[in-house]
Amino acid sequence: MAYIPLDEESKVKGKAAIEVLGSRIGKSGGSLIQQVLVLVFGNIVAAAPCLFVLYYSVLVWWALSANRLGSLFLAKTAMLESKEHKD
């Protein structure tokens, strides 16, 4: 969704970057967080309350980001449409 109103080359590069980096950073970050929690709390069950807070914090952040991205997408699309109508 973030790279739809771009030219073809930017779409391809953006999609590739998101797929590669997003996947690798997501897996590595998740593993790192799990290891730190196990080291701090002793086991994953003892870290459950912290995981609860972390999970729902990320969920809220993701929802707010998706909402903001939708607003930016609509603004960019409207700008491109108005630019086409002027030409």
Side-chain angles (χ1 to χ4, degrees):
M1 182 173 147
Y3 47 85
I4 291 173
L6 302 175
D7 60 274
E8 194 61 35
E9 182 182 356
S10 296
K11 283 183 188 180
V12 172
K13 287 181 179 180
K15 187 173 188 276
I18 289 171
E19 287 175 354
V20 172
L21 291 176
S23 173
R24 291 183 181 175
I25 291 172
K27 287 179 184 179
S28 299
S31 296
L32 179 65
I33 290 169
Q34 184 177 359
Q35 289 175 356
V36 168
L37 288 173
V38 168
L39 286 173
V40 170
F41 290 98
N43 61 34
I44 200 70
V45 175
C50 183
L51 283 173
F52 175 82
V53 171
L54 183 64
Y55 176 79
Y56 282 103
S57 298
V58 170
L59 184 66
V60 168
W61 176 69
W62 175 81
L64 293 172
S65 298
N67 187 22
R68 175 74 175 135
L69 185 60
S71 301
L72 292 172
F73 174 75
L74 291 175
K76 179 78 170 180
T77 305
M79 183 183 73
L80 291 174
E81 286 177 0
S82 68
K83 194 177 204 181
E84 287 176 3
H85 290 295
K86 288 181 181 178
D87 293 338

